[in-house]
Amino acid sequence: MTDTGWVADLLSDTVTRPTAPMRRAMAEAEVGDDVFGEDPTVRALEERVAGLLGHEAGLFAPTGSLTNQLGLRLHVDPGGEMLADALAHVVRAELGAAAVFSGITSRTWSSTAGRLVAKDALAMVTTGVGPYQVETQLVVVENTHNFGGGTIQPLTEIRALRDGLAGTGVPMHLDGARLWNAHVATGVELTAYGQLFDTVSVCLSKGLGAPVGSVLVGSAEAMARARVWRKRYGAGMRQSGILAAAGLYAVEHHLERLADDHGRARRFAEAIAEVGPYVTLADVETNIVMVDTSGTGRSAAQVAVAVGERGIRAYPSGKDRVRLVWHLDVDDAGTDAAIAAFREVLGQGAG
Ligand SMILES: *Cc1c(COP(=O)(O)O)cnc(C)c1O
C-alpha cells in the first residue's frame, strides 16, 4: 500500500510523487530568475529536451495545456482553423482554450482508438479559399493518444500527413504529452518523431514522474515568440530551476523504465481479456488500458466505485469505459491486486 491509501492508484500517470533522489536534485538545483533568462537549470532542461527531439530550442512551462496552447498560438491567427482528432486533448480537455485565448476555430476528424489516418486529416485541409471559408493553419497530432487508450501513431501515417501538407504551408504541432511512451514502446527515435513537426509539446509530469512541467520545442525564433506569450499568459516563472531539476532528473532516470509500465499494463490487459470481452488487446500499446464495461450490466462509474472499495483507483472516462494508467508508483503487487479486483467485479454482473 502506498501513502495515498490506495493499493494501486491507476487514476492517471499524473499522480506520481517525486522520489527521494528527485527531491534531492530539486533541493540542490542551481537557480536564477528565469524571466531574465538567468536560471541555468531551466536553460539546461530546455536545451536537453530540444536536443532529444531534434529541435533548436525549448521553452519550459508549468503545464502541457500551456505548452500546447503556446504551440497553437504560434501557428494560427485569430479566426484561423486547426484540425485535430475528435478525441484530441487540445479539443476535449483544454476547456476551449484555443478558442478563448487565440480565437482559433477547430474541426475534427474521427478515428478508431485515436489512430491517425493521414488521408482523413488531409481531406479536411482547406487552403487558398480567400475570404469565403476558414483557412486551415495547423494540423495537430497526439502521440500517444490519451482518450484513444495510449495508442501509438504509426510513423508512416505521420510521414504521409507531412508529405500531404508539403506545398500547402500548413504546419504540424505534436501533442507529445506521452511521446516518451511511444518512443520506448516502438524504439523509434525521439528525433524521428520530432523532425516531422514544427512544434512539439512534451510532459514531464506524466509517466516520467516529475511533479510539474512541460516543454515546448521548435525553432529558436518560434520559442522566442512563445516566451513572450508565456509571460503574457502569466506563466513567466522566477527560480523555476527547482522544478526544472525534477524534469531533468526524470528525463535522465525515468525514461527507459516506462517499459515496465507498458509490461504491467499489458499483463493486466491479458489477464482481464482472459475472463471476458472487456479489453481490446490490440489497443493496449503503452501504459493505458481501457476496460469496456458495456457487457457487465454496470456503468463505468459503478465499476470504478466497486474496484475502489478493493483499493484500486480507476477513472470512468466514459459511460462504459474505465481508464487505467500505469506509472512509477504502481508495482507488480499493485498490478496483481488490480487484476484480482477487476476479475471479481467484472465477473459479478449487475447487482
Ligand atoms: C496530460 C496531457 C496534456 C497536458 O495536460 P496538463 O494537465 O495541462 O499538463 C496534454 N495532452 C495530453 C494528451 C495529455 O494527456
Side-chain angles (χ1 to χ4, degrees):
M1 185 160 321
T2 65
D3 63 357
T4 62
W6 297 100
V7 177
D9 188 349
L10 296 158
L11 184 73
S12 173
D13 45 8
T14 57
V15 301
T16 56
R17 311 295 176 92
T19 61
M22 180 183 279
R23 285 173 189 264
R24 263 197 305 281
M26 296 173 76
E28 288 164 10
E30 245 188 274
V31 296
D33 188 329
D34 183 54
V35 170
F36 294 110
E38 289 176 358
D39 190 301
T41 309
V42 171
R43 281 196 189 166
L45 174 68
E46 290 173 344
E47 277 169 29
R48 177 89 176 101
V49 175
L52 284 172
L53 293 163
H55 280 262
E56 232 170 33
L59 184 71
F60 181 55
T63 69
S65 295
L66 183 55
T67 45
N68 272 339
Q69 290 304 320
L70 290 170
L72 308 186
R73 148 77 62 190
L74 290 176
H75 302 300
V76 188
D77 300 318
E81 172 182 86
M82 70 170 182
L83 302 179
D85 182 282
L87 297 177
H89 196 278
V90 289
V91 293
R92 280 193 89 200
E94 297 179 17
L95 310 187
V100 172
F101 297 135
S102 304
I104 296 172
T105 65
S106 305
R107 277 191 302 147
T108 58
W109 68 80
S110 299
S111 67
T112 304
R115 285 200 184 82
L116 174 69
V117 176
K119 67 172 172 35
D120 294 346
L122 289 168
M124 298 180 68
V125 174
T126 309
T127 54
V129 286
Y132 302 109
Q133 285 180 27
V134 179
E135 292 270 333
T136 304
Q137 295 189 325
L138 182 66
V139 179
V140 180
V141 175
E142 185 173 313
N143 195 17
T144 66
H145 200 292
N146 179 0
F147 294 119
T151 46
I152 298 168
Q153 304 301 355
L155 200 57
T156 49
E157 290 301 314
I158 306 174
R159 282 206 187 105
L161 181 59
R162 176 96 254 178
D163 292 346
L165 289 174
T168 67
V170 175
M172 284 165 56
H173 172 77
L174 173 59
D175 178 355
R178 296 188 182 82
L179 187 66
W180 315 108
N181 297 84
H183 158 65
V184 167
T186 59
V188 172
E189 291 300 330
L190 288 165
T191 51
Y193 286 121
Q195 72 187 11
L196 295 169
F197 294 88
D198 298 272
T199 47
V200 182
S201 161
V202 289
C203 288
L204 305 162
S205 57
K206 299 277 166 82
L208 289 189
V212 172
S214 287
V215 180
L216 179 70
V217 305
S219 70
E221 177 275 328
M223 290 310 101
R225 285 194 292 132
R227 194 171 293 273
V228 173
W229 279 101
R230 184 186 66 173
K231 180 73 166 65
R232 195 168 277 140
Y233 284 153
M237 298 183 288
R238 304 296 180 172
Q239 286 72 34
S240 39
I242 298 265
L243 302 174
L248 271 173
Y249 183 91
V251 167
E252 298 311 329
H253 297 96
H254 293 167
L255 180 55
E256 297 309 325
R257 68 149 304 287
L258 292 175
D260 300 344
D261 299 339
H262 300 170
R264 291 181 180 122
R266 185 80 205 170
R267 189 158 70 76
F268 171 87
E270 285 173 356
I272 299 307
E274 250 173 44
V275 296
Y278 306 122
V279 176
T280 304
L281 284 177
D283 291 345
V284 181
E285 296 187 287
T286 55
N287 65 327
I288 301 179
V289 179
M290 293 288 192
V291 174
D292 181 350
T293 63
S294 56
T296 66
R298 293 183 182 210
S299 68
Q302 289 169 322
V303 169
V305 168
V307 296
E309 284 161 2
R310 290 157 177 82
I312 309 301
R313 188 154 71 147
Y315 176 66
S317 90
K319 77 176 182 352
D320 49 21
R321 278 154 71 85
V322 176
R323 189 191 73 170
L324 298 97
V325 190
W326 269 259
H327 53 75
L328 80 171
D329 290 348
V330 178
D331 59 10
D332 284 330
T335 303
D336 290 337
I339 291 169
F342 269 85
R343 280 189 161 192
E344 193 188 340
V345 168
L346 292 170
Q348 278 173 351

